[in-house]
Amino acid sequence: MTGLPIQSDWTDWLSVPRQLPPNTVLIATGDVHGRSDLLRETYRALREDAENAILEGLSVNYVLLGDLVDRGPDSSGVLELASQGLEVGGVTQTNLLGNHDDWFLRILRDPIDIHDGEYHTWIDNGGLETLNSYGVQYAPMGPEDCAALLVGRVPDHHVALLEQLSDHHLVDEYLCVHAGVHPVVPLRDQRQTIFLWIRDGFMEIDYWDHDFTVIHGHTPLETHEIRDHRISIDTGACKTGRLTTVWIEGHHARFLVSHE
């Protein structure tokens, strides 16, 4: 975090590939990666419009697309905000599992099944910053030492949140998922590792065998991107200081960018 004031800006409305039913709103926020300041501002900027949509009788679905933790300075604060939710009565919030969230959860729950190479990969890819946010200022030698050191530091409700993260969420003809899906494998047969990790074979496709469009993060881009098969909203919150959210109504969407 740079200390600059955080603010939010909406784009104009744009056409999207599929139309939601007239009584439905879908909102999704991309990879937060420990930037609690950006998520807090996103919540603030969404609340009034979400409250108005509820008053109009709309069904409002809000999704965090995963990678809540790692890289940024306040993963603990992000998990606290995610556990509190948008705090607008009537909004249904779903928090999704990202590959970084999965790493952290496995450290907490199954460290014996994580080999040292994978553990150090996590440490080098933002895990140390997550440890810092819980008051651990150095990287323990291995995953079991790390898990033991975190006992009593990570609140039970943070662990419970991580354990309850979904790996995908379908709202009408839009599938919310962290990374993407295999373009020809039926949804019921997709492996969780695909939901969490896929890039090649999904970002650019020759054939699409699904009757839904995917809303995803995981692959950071300079700005949001709309394709027939996907809407990408990971804009690299830690590197760029921009957290992107999409709001879809009917056949149109607008994007909220919370930024420094």
Side-chain angles (χ1 to χ4, degrees), residues 69-234:
V69 303
D70 294 351
R71 295 192 174 137
D74 193 22
S75 291
S76 175
V78 171
L79 292 182
E80 188 64 29
L81 286 169
S83 67
Q84 295 168 1
L86 192 58
E87 296 184 315
V88 175
V91 171
T92 299
Q93 180 158 337
T94 303
N95 303 316
L96 296 186
L97 181 71
N99 55 300
H100 284 263
D101 311 311
D102 185 55
W103 257 338
F104 186 39
L105 179 59
R106 289 170 59 217
I107 292 292
L108 293 170
R109 283 296 188 229
D110 301 303
I112 195 170
D113 292 329
I114 298 176
H115 59 76
D116 285 348
E118 184 180 14
Y119 168 70
H120 289 292
T121 298
W122 172 65
I123 289 292
D124 293 340
N125 283 273
L128 181 58
E129 287 78 5
T130 294
L131 296 180
N132 292 167
S133 77
Y134 287 102
V136 178
Q137 300 305 316
Y138 64 94
M141 289 296 293
E144 293 180 75
D145 295 329
C146 184
L149 194 59
L150 288 170
V151 172
R153 294 178 182 268
V154 182
D156 290 344
H157 66 284
H158 288 193
V159 180
L161 174 72
L162 289 165
E163 291 177 332
Q164 293 163 10
L165 296 176
S166 304
D167 58 21
H168 69 284
H169 182 64
L170 189 64
V171 178
D172 201 65
E173 294 182 350
Y174 284 95
L175 179 73
C176 298
V177 65
H178 175 62
V181 299
H182 192 287
V184 298
V185 174
L187 182 59
R188 65 180 179 275
D189 297 327
Q190 300 268 346
R191 293 177 287 115
Q192 187 178 77
T193 52
I194 295 295
F195 291 144
L196 301 188
W197 288 96
I198 192 170
R199 283 196 177 105
D200 294 341
F202 167 69
M203 295 296 289
E204 303 295 336
I205 59 167
D206 296 319
Y207 182 75
W208 186 248
D209 197 31
H210 301 297
D211 57 359
F212 54 75
T213 292
V214 175
I215 302 175
H216 72 99
H218 186 59
T219 301
L221 303 172
E222 289 187 10
T223 188
H224 58 267
E225 188 171 79
I226 301 174
R227 300 283 188 91
D228 284 344
H229 74 293
R230 63 177 174 85
I231 298 175
S232 303
I233 57 170
D234 179 6

